[in-house]
Amino acid sequence: MVNVELQKVSKSYGKVNVLKNLDLRIEDGEFFVLLGSSGSGKSTTLNILAGLDKLDSGKILFDNTLVNELSPIERGVALVFQNYALYPHMTVYKNMAFPLKMLNYRKERIGPIIKEVAEKLDITALLDRYPKELSGGQAQRVALGRALVRDPKIFLLDEPLSNLDANIRSKIRNDLKIMQEELGKTFVYVTHDQMEAMSLGDHVGILHNGKLEQFGKPIDIYKHPNNAFVATFLGDPEINLFSYSWNGKSFDGDGPFNFNININISKITMGIRPENISLEKKGANTMAGKIIPKVSELLGSHTLIVAKTLAGKDIKIITDMTDIPIGKEINVYANIEDCIMFDEQGETINI
Amino acid sequence: MKINTIFTYIVLSILGVFFLIPFIWLFVESFSPINDIGLTVPTFLTLKPFYNVLTNRVFVNSIYEGLLQSLGATFLSLLFAVGPAYIFSRKRFKFRMPLLLGILFLTGFPVFSLLIPEYVFYIKTTLYNSVFGVVLFLGVLNLPIDIWLLKNSFDQIPQSIERAAFIDGASSLKSILYVFLPLAFPILAVLIILDFVINWGNFYVPYILLSSSHLLPISVEIYSFFGAFNVHYNELAAFSIIYTIPAIVLYIFSQKYMIKALSGGIKG
């Protein structure tokens, strides 16, 4: 039972400040996802949590106990590496036995533990194989198994799905989620893939340039991003952003809609997600505008339209309709409540 | 076949024969009844030269001394190479580069320039005329190249594997023992051969640092044939063939690893 807390953690490599006063709180037993693009400091955060890297300043607390100076074993953490890092000269069995061997467990005690874990992960048949004889998904499970045998309190996973083929990725993603719920352990999962973050995380932290931009439930972050960066980072296709300025009567800009809101800033950025724009007028729609579709892509259940506004700005729309007239002006509608407004610094304005 | 290719084959064959003649002579001579000089066809073949050599207590003792000193020195240099190789490969510290280049420089350092001061040093301590002294000197001679090659082989081991070992609770020593050395085994096998062959063939070091005849290894003992009034060339040839056997045996045993080490090494 572990709550993890990072307090004002800073870390730099040479002159590069990777983490700047990072505060983070991870609840016991939750699936926490740390999301960020490359170079955002997410892997560094994970290494610091694991005890692989020393931090320059700040505190790491596990259940309010300072663990800054403790080794990975003493902290009770296990790390699953991006490339699994299985020992190539050992069989699956020996790979999984290694952490126990390092704890000076006797052979008779190691056997049953491995058997149990292997059954849980469905890898009993693989125990005699060498890592190079495993598929990506199998290697992944062995890596998890090696982490499991020691019964750690916290699992740290460093982009565990990025080395897998696309077709098994979503299956393994589901397996991971189910396993986390069965084990009831705290998982800290690092990824650059917003889809993984949205689908797996109980809570998501978005890291950008070593700072936590936003923290919360995935859907809350998606609906109420703190700033334009977070809004752009989450969602695929990404949010449409338009610049608007006050012309005396209403806000006017390169987006398809003109609108009027009560605010005392003259220049704002309006963001609207592709699925919040519709081609048909529905009862409560408060805004209407025109776009010129350029391309329409059928994505199965829905269609993605890439279009230009009359001011020449790209806009993406997701709709259920097919048969989109390319090159002709069509009407679009949206609700002002679905829009997110940002000021010139990119911070969200509450309306 | 083109005329060029035929020509190449002819030239290479002649060269090959020239290179082979000494070996053929050695082989034929070692089975000859009389001490001939030059390549002659013996009237009959005999194992007498081998028998004479292997029943001579001085010669047998020199084989034993040779093995002891070569293997001892090989063990010594590998033992002391592992630690520095690991540290140079994995840790970053001040003067790492100068030290590494210093070691590289030492690999090309001529042995003979060290022998005279070493001789004086050994005389003044108790190391002169002791097997341990020879083992120590031979071991140190091979140390720089061992450190370099082992370091390069450690460099190939992915950092994530080292980190995994650390997460799994292995100390530096344990991760060297259980992860680094097994993964570097092909290079290790090559180094064992390389060191052994160099030590086994080293003449000057035992020749200068030893004086008692019962301590002389095979490389020095072979030389004693020429000191005798009548040189038994057939016995010399037989002894020379025995002299090459350990190296050949080691090559055969480690061939598998040789190929591995020279063709790519460790993959993560």
Side-chain angles (χ1 to χ4, degrees):
Chain A
M1 302 294 107
V2 191
N3 297 311
V4 179
E5 217 177 324
L6 296 183
Q7 288 180 354
K8 298 211 175 308
V9 168
S10 295
K11 171 77 187 172
S12 46
Y13 291 111
K15 282 180 184 160
V16 188
N17 266 327
V18 186
L19 296 178
K20 298 154 196 157
N21 282 331
L22 182 70
D23 288 311
L24 199 63
R25 193 176 161 76
I26 301 165
E27 300 289 333
D28 172 47
E30 77 166 341
F31 204 122
F32 180 81
V33 179
L34 204 54
L35 178 65
S37 48
S38 60
S40 61
K42 57 189 193 311
S43 291
T44 308
T45 311
L46 203 70
N47 286 343
I48 281 177
L49 272 176
L52 282 171
D53 278 348
K54 289 260 184 298
L55 57 170
D56 296 342
S57 65
K59 287 179 179 171
I60 311 170
L61 303 171
F62 283 18
D63 272 344
N64 302 321
T65 324
L66 194 69
V67 296
N68 281 16
E69 297 298 324
L70 297 187
S71 75
I73 298 284
E74 292 164 322
R75 293 180 190 196
V77 298
L79 178 57
V80 176
F81 289 83
Q82 185 174 0
N83 56 5
Y84 318 130
L86 298 173
Y87 309 117
H89 60 295
M90 298 184 196
T91 60
V92 168
Y93 182 92
K94 284 196 175 157
N95 260 287
M96 287 169 69
F98 190 74
L100 300 177
K101 201 169 152 190
M102 291 302 111
L103 290 172
N104 293 324
Y105 275 42
R106 285 225 209 94
K107 269 204 174 116
E108 309 87 76
R109 272 184 76 195
I110 293 177
I113 297 176
I114 296 202
K115 211 178 145 220
E116 192 194 321
V117 171
E119 270 165 21
K120 204 183 280 177
L121 292 169
D122 201 18
I123 50 175
T124 315
L126 308 175
L127 287 178
D128 291 327
R129 293 206 202 164
Y130 281 92
K132 61 174 180 245
E133 299 162 345
L134 301 175
S135 71
Q138 290 168 336
Q140 158 102 64
R141 264 185 279 177
V142 173
L144 271 170
R146 189 175 64 183
L148 260 173
V149 287
R150 221 174 52 208
D151 199 25
K153 291 180 270 188
I154 302 172
F155 279 84
L156 308 170
L157 300 102
D158 190 2
E159 308 210 18
L161 302 182
S162 60
N163 277 15
L164 295 175
D165 293 343
N167 53 348
I168 61 165
R169 204 176 285 179
S170 70
K171 186 192 170 297
I172 305 260
R173 196 171 66 201
N174 295 339
D175 288 354
L176 268 180
K177 181 76 178 166
I178 292 166
M179 202 168 74
Q180 189 267 337
E181 276 163 12
E182 279 174 2
L183 292 170
K185 304 256 180 191
T186 312
F187 271 48
V188 181
Y189 185 106
V190 158
T191 182
H192 63 268
D193 185 333
Q194 54 95 18
M195 274 271 280
E196 286 173 16
M198 299 282 282
S199 56
L200 286 171
D202 293 324
H203 283 106
V204 174
I206 295 181
L207 215 55
H208 181 52
N209 286 336
K211 277 188 186 156
L212 191 67
E213 293 284 349
Q214 194 165 359
F215 169 84
K217 293 208 164 84
I219 191 68
D220 291 343
I221 301 182
Y222 187 73
K223 291 211 162 145
H224 309 289
N226 276 351
N227 53 42
F229 172 80
V230 174
T232 321
F233 204 72
L234 282 186
D236 179 36
E238 65 188 35
I239 194 167
N240 298 299
L241 293 177
F242 304 107
S243 337
Y244 279 83
S245 50
W246 181 250
N247 64 5
K249 278 182 287 178
S250 67
F251 276 99
D252 186 15
D254 52 11
F257 313 110
N258 285 2
F259 54 90
N260 207 338
I261 49 171
N262 191 12
I263 199 164
N264 55 1
I265 307 173
S266 60
K267 283 195 168 174
I268 59 172
T269 301
M270 186 265 261
I272 184 158
R273 298 219 176 259
E275 68 271 20
N276 288 336
I277 306 174
S278 66
L279 302 186
E280 292 165 311
K281 189 168 170 66
K282 288 171 193 158
N285 284 351
T286 53
M287 300 188 296
K290 284 187 189 305
I291 58 160
I292 306 161
K294 294 287 177 203
V295 186
S296 84
E297 294 173 13
L298 184 64
L299 302 174
S301 61
H302 51 260
T303 309
L304 169 69
I305 305 171
V306 182
K308 291 251 189 239
T309 63
L310 296 182
K313 190 99 197 289
D314 283 332
I315 179 169
K316 286 177 178 168
I317 298 171
I318 283 180
T319 171
D320 298 338
M321 290 165 66
T322 49
D323 294 334
I324 311 298
I326 302 296
K328 283 186 194 163
E329 277 184 30
I330 55 171
N331 289 322
V332 285
Y333 307 92
N335 282 325
I336 188 76
E337 290 80 34
D338 292 329
C339 299
I340 308 160
M341 304 298 172
F342 306 101
D343 64 17
E344 277 185 279
Q345 281 76 44
E347 298 297 318
T348 304
I349 310 166
N350 290 317
I351 309 160
Chain B
M1 228 191 275
K2 276 183 188 162
I3 197 90
N4 254 348
T5 329
I6 296 168
F7 183 72
T8 314
Y9 273 102
I10 291 170
V11 170
L12 285 178
S13 305
I14 294 169
L15 273 176
V17 168
F18 276 121
F19 275 105
L20 273 174
I21 282 174
F23 290 99
I24 294 169
W25 176 82
L26 194 69
F27 194 75
V28 173
E29 186 66 35
S30 68
F31 292 102
S32 307
I34 33 160
N35 343 318
D36 288 318
I37 313 179
L39 195 57
T40 52
V41 183
T43 44
F44 62 97
L45 294 177
T46 170
L47 284 173
K48 195 97 197 329
F50 283 95
Y51 178 80
N52 286 349
V53 166
L54 288 174
T55 49
N56 185 326
R57 287 188 61 188
V58 176
F59 291 155
V60 172
N61 184 57
S62 76
I63 295 173
Y64 166 75
E65 285 295 331
L67 282 174
L68 183 74
Q69 289 166 21
S70 312
L71 289 176
T74 304
F75 177 75
L76 199 75
S77 28
L78 285 176
L79 184 70
F80 286 106
V82 172
Y86 174 79
I87 289 166
F88 277 123
S89 171
R90 294 295 160 169
K91 312 281 181 205
R92 294 293 174 266
F93 48 90
K94 243 187 175 178
F95 304 121
R96 177 177 170 271
M97 242 11 235
L99 278 170
L100 257 180
L101 291 174
I103 288 173
L104 185 67
F105 171 72
L106 285 179
T107 61
F109 208 75
V111 186
F112 303 111
S113 57
L114 292 173
L115 260 174
I116 303 309
E118 201 67 25
Y119 174 76
V120 175
F121 173 73
Y122 272 34
I123 290 275
K124 297 211 166 165
T125 57
T126 53
L127 288 165
Y128 180 73
N129 196 23
S130 79
V131 172
F132 180 70
V134 174
V135 166
L136 197 65
F137 191 67
L138 287 175
V140 169
L141 281 184
N142 286 328
L143 199 52
I145 190 102
D146 286 8
I147 292 176
W148 253 89
L149 289 178
L150 212 51
K151 174 210 160 276
N152 283 348
S153 142
F154 285 171
D155 284 348
Q156 313 238 325
I157 296 170
Q159 199 199 19
S160 61
I161 291 209
E162 183 198 9
R163 295 190 144 204
F166 183 61
I167 289 276
D168 287 341
S171 59
S172 285
L173 189 67
K174 277 184 174 174
S175 74
I176 290 175
L177 274 180
Y178 291 112
V179 178
F180 278 79
L181 284 182
L183 285 176
F185 193 72
I187 289 285
L188 223 48
V190 170
L191 285 179
I192 289 172
I193 308 245
L194 192 73
D195 288 0
F196 178 82
V197 170
I198 291 175
N199 295 336
W200 183 250
N202 199 316
F203 169 75
Y204 280 102
V205 172
Y207 183 66
I208 288 175
L209 297 182
L210 295 173
S211 59
S212 306
S213 64
H214 70 278
L215 293 179
L216 295 180
I218 185 164
S219 52
V220 181
E221 199 59 49
I222 280 191
Y223 179 68
S224 71
F225 272 95
F226 299 103
F229 172 69
N230 185 12
V231 183
H232 297 274
Y233 279 105
N234 54 354
E235 284 179 20
L236 173 62
F239 202 45
S240 301
I241 283 186
I242 292 168
Y243 182 46
T244 57
I245 286 173
I248 292 172
V249 169
L250 267 179
Y251 266 116
I252 291 168
F253 271 113
S254 61
Q255 208 179 20
K256 202 174 88 185
Y257 302 108
M258 281 286 230
I259 292 166
K260 242 192 198 170
L262 298 175
S263 68
I266 311 123
K267 297 218 169 67

